[in-house]
């Protein structure tokens, strides 16, 4: 084989390899943070972590209609929720110390097509051991979409 044919073959192979490698940077899959709200913001409820109750222990449910909300949730906060726009994720968590605040981050998993709500209880050193109600009004979930809750106690 002549040097010219060898160089041409190497050049052709190099060009083929260069252009056949895909540039996956345009198709990067990243999880997306989804905006949520609460009953305090949307319906002027007050101190829902103490004033609202549901019969659960260290668990959560998703309420999708007003009838279920009215029959399962008790307390001072009893608004007519816009269940066309929202689902209500509500749960209870037994804590060993006092609570200052609760933070929430809802993420849609890009690869899994599932939602994860991170609930962070920001604690203090008081000797109160509350059984708190936490909740988020989340955008209406697509049919069959799974939601998990990850609890962090700080």
């Amino acid at each position: 084989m002549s040097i010219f044919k060898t160089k041409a073959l190497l050049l052709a192979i190099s060009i083929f390899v260069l252009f056949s490698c895909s540039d996956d940077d345009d198709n990067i899959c990243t999880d997306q943070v989804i905006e949520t709200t609460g009953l305090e913001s949307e319906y002027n409820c007050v101190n829902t972590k103490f004033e609202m109750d549901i019969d659960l222990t260290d668990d959560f449910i998703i309420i999708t209609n007003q009838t279920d909300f009215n029959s399962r949730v008790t307390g001072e906060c009893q608004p007519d929720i816009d269940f066309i726009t929202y689902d209500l994720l509500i749960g209870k968590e037994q804590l060993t110390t006092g609570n200052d605040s609760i933070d929430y981050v809802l993420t849609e998993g890009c690869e899994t097509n599932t939602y994860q709500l991170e609930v962070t209880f920001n604690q203090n050193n008081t000797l109160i051991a509350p059984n708190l109600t936490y909740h988020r009004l989340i955008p209406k979930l697509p049919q069959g979409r799974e939601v998990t809750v990850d609890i962090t106690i700080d």
Side-chain angles (χ1 to χ4, degrees), residues 35-97:
E35 289 293 319
T36 65
T37 189
L39 295 171
E40 291 91 352
S41 299
E42 296 299 315
Y43 299 102
N44 297 319
C45 294
V46 179
N47 205 14
T48 57
K49 64 184 178 181
F50 293 112
E51 300 296 327
M52 193 166 58
D53 196 29
I54 186 161
D55 188 20
L56 296 171
T57 304
D58 295 336
D59 202 3
F60 75 95
I61 63 167
I62 297 172
I63 296 177
T64 61
N65 62 68
Q66 191 67 41
T67 302
D68 288 348
F69 176 79
N70 292 343
S71 67
R72 301 216 47 192
V73 178
T74 59
E76 296 296 317
C77 179
Q78 293 295 314
D80 289 327
I81 297 173
D82 177 6
F83 282 106
I84 293 171
T85 304
Y86 300 113
D87 286 331
L88 175 67
L89 187 148
I90 184 169
K92 295 283 280 192
E93 188 69 22
Q94 179 66 53
L95 303 168
T96 57
T97 61

Side-chain angles (χ1 to χ4, degrees), residues 18-148:
L18 180 67
F19 287 106
S20 66
C21 293
S22 65
D23 184 8
D24 289 338
D25 291 344
D26 294 338
N27 298 324
I28 293 175
C29 181
T30 56
D31 295 348
Q32 185 169 352
V33 174
I34 307 295
E35 289 293 319
T36 65
T37 189
L39 295 171
E40 291 91 352
S41 299
E42 296 299 315
Y43 299 102
N44 297 319
C45 294
V46 179
N47 205 14
T48 57
K49 64 184 178 181
F50 293 112
E51 300 296 327
M52 193 166 58
D53 196 29
I54 186 161
D55 188 20
L56 296 171
T57 304
D58 295 336
D59 202 3
F60 75 95
I61 63 167
I62 297 172
I63 296 177
T64 61
N65 62 68
Q66 191 67 41
T67 302
D68 288 348
F69 176 79
N70 292 343
S71 67
R72 301 216 47 192
V73 178
T74 59
E76 296 296 317
C77 179
Q78 293 295 314
D80 289 327
I81 297 173
D82 177 6
F83 282 106
I84 293 171
T85 304
Y86 300 113
D87 286 331
L88 175 67
L89 187 148
I90 184 169
K92 295 283 280 192
E93 188 69 22
Q94 179 66 53
L95 303 168
T96 57
T97 61
N99 178 264
D100 288 328
S101 63
I102 307 172
D103 296 323
Y104 304 93
V105 177
L106 180 65
T107 306
E108 181 178 11
C110 172
E111 293 180 3
T112 60
N113 276 336
T114 60
Y115 293 92
Q116 179 180 26
L117 181 66
E118 296 175 32
V119 180
T120 302
F121 291 94
N122 301 300
Q123 299 302 100
N124 58 46
N125 290 327
T126 60
L127 298 177
I128 301 167
N131 188 16
L132 296 184
T133 301
Y134 61 90
H135 78 278
R136 287 320 291 162
L137 289 168
I138 61 176
K140 201 71 171 162
L141 292 168
Q143 189 70 19
R145 215 39 94 75
E146 183 181 326
V147 178
T148 60

